[in-house]
Amino acid sequence: MSLAIFDLDNTLLATDSDHAWGEFLVEQGAVDPVHYREMNERFHQQYRDGTLDIHDYLALALKPLMENSPEQLAAWHQQFMISKIEPNILVKGEELLAEHRAQGDTLLIITATNRFITAPIAQRLGVDNLIAVEPEIIDDRYTGRVSGTPSFQAGKILRLEEWLVGQSATLDDAWFYSDSHNDIPLLEKIDNPVAVDPDERLREVALQRGWRILSLR
């Protein structure tokens, strides 16, 4: 048995759930449509370019969680799952999860998207272990701030190391599946790195280093 780690957005999903949530909020009239969409697109491009300041982005992304009640957020998320997530769950991604599950591997999703968005998605995929950006909660309300280290780029390594200590687990013979060059620092630390429908920069690195390249599309 080993650890099978999966990125979420554009790996197990044929979409970026963080970006899709922003679009969903615009469609619901929950945010200023012009400003929020412009900033959402700008940060999404910075993510693809590898220039994203995660704290700048989270200042935008976590604000609607602070401004709305838990009841409203829960209702929106149910609609979001139906309209934005369910149609983008990759069948081959579910088959890959099932393959590792059948081998007795421990499944873990690690993502730079926040837990509010991703916890129900991980549950839908049958993955009990999730490392995600943790929005701060005080008195059952989101504060708009992030708690701890965001699980982004090198932050994924730190958060994974903390998780491993808590689980008394190791990375021996572990797998990591990701589509993004932002995950190269973590891919480099894994015995079995797999580039899944990789972006151009990750594909180039994977070819240079002989990493497996896989399509779930």
Side-chain angles (χ1 to χ4, degrees), residues 153-198:
Q153 293 182 341
K156 278 192 176 181
I157 298 173
L158 177 61
R159 291 287 306 282
L160 176 59
E161 289 173 344
E162 292 172 347
W163 183 86
L164 289 168
V165 170
Q167 298 290 318
S168 298
T170 73
L171 289 177
D172 292 347
D173 201 32
W175 296 76
F176 180 36
Y177 298 87
S178 177
D179 71 291
S180 175
H181 68 272
N182 287 292
D183 285 335
I184 289 173
L186 181 51
L187 286 161
E188 290 175 332
K189 291 185 171 295
I190 301 296
D191 290 338
N192 301 289
V194 184
V196 178
D197 299 293

Side-chain angles (χ1 to χ4, degrees), residues 77 88 108 111 123 125 127 134 136 173 191 193 203 214:
H77 202 293
N88 286 293
L108 168 67
T111 175
Q123 183 179 24
L125 293 171
V127 179
E134 299 290 349
E136 183 183 64
D173 201 32
D191 290 338
R203 179 177 293 275
L214 174 69

Side-chain angles (χ1 to χ4, degrees), residues 7 16 22 27 37 39 47 60 81 99 103 133 146 179:
D7 177 51
D16 183 306
E27 293 166 8
R37 177 169 277 150
M39 295 303 294
Y47 173 82
L60 174 81
M81 288 292 294
E99 180 182 322
Q103 293 171 0
V133 168
V146 64
D179 71 291

Side-chain angles (χ1 to χ4, degrees), residues 25-149:
L25 291 176
V26 169
E27 293 166 8
Q28 299 304 308
V31 292
D32 178 278
V34 176
H35 172 71
Y36 201 93
R37 177 169 277 150
E38 177 186 344
M39 295 303 294
N40 198 34
E41 293 299 330
R42 181 181 301 175
F43 284 128
H44 192 47
Q45 186 60 53
Q46 290 174 0
Y47 173 82
R48 291 193 294 256
D49 292 342
T51 61
L52 178 67
D53 184 315
I54 188 64
H55 291 284
D56 285 349
Y57 172 66
L58 289 173
L60 174 81
L62 300 183
K63 191 166 182 281
L65 301 186
M66 174 187 66
E67 293 175 335
N68 291 279
S69 70
E71 294 77 16
Q72 178 64 80
L73 292 169
W76 276 338
H77 202 293
Q78 286 184 340
Q79 298 175 49
F80 173 69
M81 288 292 294
I82 294 168
S83 64
K84 301 292 187 183
I85 299 303
E86 201 62 45
N88 286 293
I89 292 176
L90 292 166
V91 172
K92 289 184 179 179
E94 291 195 281
E95 291 172 352
L96 181 61
L97 289 169
E99 180 182 322
H100 278 284
R101 194 178 290 116
Q103 293 171 0
D105 295 336
T106 299
L107 306 184
L108 168 67
I109 288 174
I110 188 165
T111 175
T113 301
N114 72 72
R115 181 173 291 274
F116 166 76
I117 295 174
T118 57
I121 303 174
Q123 183 179 24
R124 162 63 181 82
L125 293 171
V127 179
D128 295 332
N129 301 296
L130 172 67
I131 296 173
V133 168
E134 299 290 349
E136 183 183 64
I137 300 173
I138 296 178
D139 295 331
D140 298 323
R141 292 290 298 245
Y142 291 104
T143 67
R145 297 184 293 269
V146 64
S147 178
T149 302

